Amino acid sequence: MVVCGDDGLAHRLAAELRGVYREQVTLVVPPSGRRVRQPVVGRARAASAALRDMVNAAVNRTGNSDATGGTGGTGGTGRELEATEPTEDVLADAGVERATALALVYDDDETNIRAALTARRLNPRLQLVLRLYNRRLGQHIEELLDQSAALASGGGPGSGSGSTTVLSDADTAAPALAATALVGTSKVVETDGLLLRAVERNPPRPGEVADPGLCTLALLSATSNDPAGADGSEDSGENGPQLLPDAAAVEAATGRGTVALEQVSYSGPPLPAGRAGVPAFGELFSRRLRWSLAGLAACVVALAVALMVVTGDHPLHATYVTLLDLFSINEPAHNADIGRQILQLLSGFVGLLLLPVLLAAVLEALGTFRSASTLRKPPRGLGGHVVLLGLGKIGTRVLTRLREMDIPVVCVEADPEARGMATARRLRVPVVLGDVTQEGVLEAAKIHRAHSLLALTSVDTTNLEAVLYARSVRSRLRVVLRLYDDDFATAVYRTLRAAHPRALTRSRSVTHLAAPSFAGAMMGRQILGAIPVERRVLLFAAVEVAGHPQLEGKTVGEAFRAGAWRVLALEVSDGERAAGADSPSEGARESRLVWELPDTYVLRGSDRVVLAATRRGLAELLGRRARRGVDV
């Protein structure tokens, strides 16, 4: 395996391949003077050198490889090269011509694409994994590189040619960060329109029966009901979180929350961008103006009713005469009785009040349409919202996720030209421009009435300072920090948890959330996504049954291994269904996936299944060394 990158994701990915999958890895990084966040890189190099010394302890700690912040297991060997750019000579020196897989995880899309084109020419059978932020460009690049590999190999895509997988660390980490911001929010993994939804459920009350949904993915730790203890258990024993438990473990676990797979469906098409910029009718006028218009309308109705009573006119004629008096275009009623004269004077007075209200309505409507393409300010009285700090590539993806779930958001960004500003304008999300470390910025975002704070800027100290200040304003505020170094994230989390035991605190490292998906893709399988369970990770993968003795020829029940992997669905052709399974629903036919397979269904070599697996379980199932008989 060859990993090329310029930040912490490259080092984390290399450690993942060596520790969990026991692969030989060559790591290509920039020279020391040009590296990003050099202290983190130095620690990663020291951790890689210490991997071999920790092998026995890591293997004995069953399940620790699934911790978000753990080093996984240990095993594979490798070397490290220093190069400014991944040129053809550098890739050749790294052994790309003999490598099985190459991961290009530079922060710059152009660098990854240029190196991928060169690597595909050097080795058409190479398994390529690219880190690209631009999803549309990534789809085209993936098709181009796959077609090039097929032609170079002299056959079609299935003739043994190399494949290409394009992933984004932002897309991989965004669901976990968005879900962590809200209590009870579903954890979502979406790839190619397939939507997997995992829901955290509280322990059932006495006399209630828990609904397992499609299946139970995990048992939460014994401290999950304690806001101060949730997500903090590192116990690998019975009190810690258990991934993919069997039926006996689920029944024996009392008073513990669960993570269940509740719903699987296709996501609908997004709304056109043009419609998002048109304000709703209710937003054209302010609340005060709407009440003023309603009051004037009530006055007109009252005057018309009074005129009808005084003169005995028909209701329509009385309303018509009242409107004439209102707009001062009726004849003076100097020859009429006193009641008619008083009503005409009152109508003229209401007409005088109507003119400034109509002018204000016109000006406000024009201002609303003019500001539809500009940044909005947080509305008065806003509360229960999420304050999002930073509109970079991670913050933009998280913002989109939150708006898809109809969650009110207020963004804070110091750079008016930030990547996510266009998205905020399109989604009409309020944005506060300013440095979050300056006094008054968080107050402008209504932090004192917010539900939670998501600190997702690229500077760890800025995120930490914002969280500490927000906690001084509201001690029980729910906070989520994006921290670059997972060791630092763990230390910050423990300190904040101890200082504010009644408030919920979460710390997340994007590289550690994204690395399992990149590592799984390098093994030559399609990783649909990852769902964090406290400080562990559960992967979803699409796997061909052929070539895996743990699956082929076994029933679904026999293929299930508690704590390692579980078959969730079977991919079938249109109109085809699994033998012995119920006829798929309409949604299953569209997605070509059959869910709720019977335990008696026998997996065939031609089948392709979707399974949930822990990182160590996926390494054992898919690792090339495991298939050659080497223990994992």
Side-chain angles (χ1 to χ4, degrees), residues 290-321:
R290 291 198 300 269
W291 278 108
S292 300
L293 291 173
L296 290 175
C299 291
V300 172
V301 172
L303 290 172
V305 172
L307 183 62
M308 181 183 63
V309 173
V310 171
T311 62
D313 287 348
H314 188 273
L316 291 179
H317 184 265
T319 303
Y320 173 70
V321 173

Side-chain angles (χ1 to χ4, degrees), residues 373-460:
S373 59
T374 61
L375 296 176
R376 300 182 63 199
K377 295 182 179 180
R380 295 179 179 179
L382 179 65
H385 57 288
V386 175
V387 177
L388 175 62
L389 308 183
L391 286 176
K393 66 177 185 178
I394 302 295
T396 304
R397 292 286 194 257
V398 173
L399 172 62
T400 304
R401 291 280 181 175
L402 292 174
R403 293 304 300 142
E404 287 174 355
M405 294 184 285
D406 296 327
I407 297 171
V409 184
V410 175
C411 299
V412 179
E413 175 57 54
D415 183 10
E417 302 297 328
R419 187 193 300 263
M421 283 297 185
T423 301
R425 291 189 182 94
R426 177 175 58 84
L427 298 177
R428 306 199 71 238
V429 174
V431 177
V432 176
L433 284 177
D435 187 355
V436 70
T437 60
Q438 299 295 324
E439 187 176 356
V441 175
L442 283 178
E443 283 81 356
K446 316 291 184 183
I447 192 64
H448 56 285
R449 291 200 297 265
H451 175 273
S452 56
L453 171 67
L454 272 170
L456 304 180
T457 70
S458 58
V459 182
D460 289 357

Side-chain angles (χ1 to χ4, degrees), residues 70-95:
T71 59
T74 57
T77 60
R79 60 190 180 118
E80 181 174 322
L81 301 178
E82 291 187 351
T84 304
E85 294 183 359
T87 61
E88 182 174 350
D89 294 337
V90 172
L91 293 176
D93 189 23

Side-chain angles (χ1 to χ4, degrees), residues 116-133:
L117 296 175
T118 303
R120 178 59 75 211
R121 179 168 50 83
L122 294 175
N123 187 353
R125 298 181 180 275
L126 187 67
Q127 173 74 23
L128 276 176
V129 178
L130 276 73
R131 171 190 183 183
L132 296 182
Y133 179 81

Side-chain angles (χ1 to χ4, degrees), residues 499-516:
H500 301 275
R502 295 184 178 274
L504 255 167
T505 304
R506 296 292 185 269
S507 57
R508 291 288 182 261
S509 170
V510 174
T511 58
H512 284 213
L513 289 174

Side-chain angles (χ1 to χ4, degrees), residues 35 45 165 183 209 247 335 391 447 467 486 593 621 629:
R35 295 183 190 177
R45 176 186 290 180
T165 304
V183 176
V209 178
N335 293 325
L391 286 176
I447 192 64
V467 167
D486 196 68
L593 289 174
L621 183 64

Side-chain angles (χ1 to χ4, degrees), residues 599-623:
D599 290 341
T600 56
Y601 175 72
V602 180
L603 299 174
R604 300 167 296 181
S606 58
D607 289 339
R608 189 170 186 262
V609 296
V610 174
L611 53 82
T614 62
R615 292 194 294 176
R616 182 167 293 279
L618 191 63
E620 180 179 351
L621 183 64
L622 305 183

